[in-house]
Amino acid sequence: MANQEINSAEEQAPAAPEAPAPARPATARRAGAAGEQYQGLGRRKTSSARVTLRPGQGRWVVNGRTLEDYFPRAVLRQSLSQPLAVTDNQGRFDIRVNVHGGGLRGQADAVRLGISRALLQIDEGYRTRLRGQELLTRDPREVERKKPGRPKARKRFQFSKR
């Protein structure tokens, strides 16, 4: 009988209203908050690049060197900045890149993919623009291995009928 009275008293007591959870922002984060950094990984052929974007004045550091020093060809530098130009973010981020393997063209394409992936962390809305320029697609082509008994991967020795 005493247990029933306790249970009925608990049922009648008004429950404390729960505070609503704070509303989370949508997928877009405010770019430029102090201390935030965004990372992306890009690969092409045998090159691999880790890219870090931080809010800043647009400085580039590639393997501890300046962009012009590491990528002397203007075509490669233009290719690197393409994701930033498409999303209107040129000069808004300091970019640090650690890239290794392959040649300059493969490294430049790996860095470009890494920048594109890092920009997606800033705002998912950039996906349609980057996808339209084919900046999110990893180029799957790799060097074909040399086959045994042949001089190169596909080349054969000259055939002699007699």
Side-chain angles (χ1 to χ4, degrees):
M1 182 89 166
N3 287 339
Q4 290 177 351
E5 291 174 12
I6 294 172
N7 289 340
S8 63
E10 288 175 359
E11 291 173 5
Q12 293 174 358
E18 292 185 23
R24 288 187 171 189
T27 57
R29 286 188 269 180
R30 197 187 89 195
E36 280 196 73
Q37 66 180 20
Y38 310 96
Q39 296 181 341
L41 177 69
R43 292 192 184 100
R44 169 73 169 100
K45 292 188 177 181
T46 58
S47 301
S48 179
R50 287 187 314 235
V51 178
T52 304
L53 301 181
R54 289 187 182 141
Q57 288 78 38
R59 289 187 296 262
W60 287 75
V61 178
V62 182
N63 288 353
R65 294 158 55 185
T66 64
L67 180 66
E68 292 78 17
D69 186 29
Y70 196 85
F71 291 108
R73 297 195 332 234
V75 173
L76 297 180
R77 291 194 304 267
Q78 181 182 0
S79 173
L80 292 177
S81 62
Q82 191 177 1
L84 298 169
V86 168
T87 58
D88 300 322
N89 282 315
Q90 282 187 315
R92 291 184 54 202
F93 294 99
D94 289 341
I95 302 171
R96 291 187 63 87
V97 178
N98 187 356
V99 63
H100 63 274
L104 285 182
R105 182 77 227 185
Q107 287 186 351
D109 287 347
V111 171
R112 185 176 72 175
L113 180 59
I115 292 171
S116 299
R117 288 179 174 173
L119 286 170
L120 285 183
Q121 291 181 3
I122 295 168
D123 187 0
E124 192 66 29
Y126 293 151
R127 184 176 294 276
T128 55
R129 286 192 239 169
L130 292 170
R131 180 69 66 195
Q133 297 290 319
E134 296 182 1
L135 296 173
L136 292 175
T137 304
R138 188 217 188 271
D139 193 342
R141 295 177 293 175
E142 298 276 339
V143 175
E144 190 173 341
R145 76 178 194 90
K146 180 192 173 301
K147 311 302 185 302
R150 297 187 187 170
K152 295 187 347 185
R154 295 192 176 194
K155 186 175 182 181
R156 290 171 166 78
F157 292 108
Q158 184 173 0
F159 177 72
S160 173
K161 194 169 196 179
R162 290 180 187 84

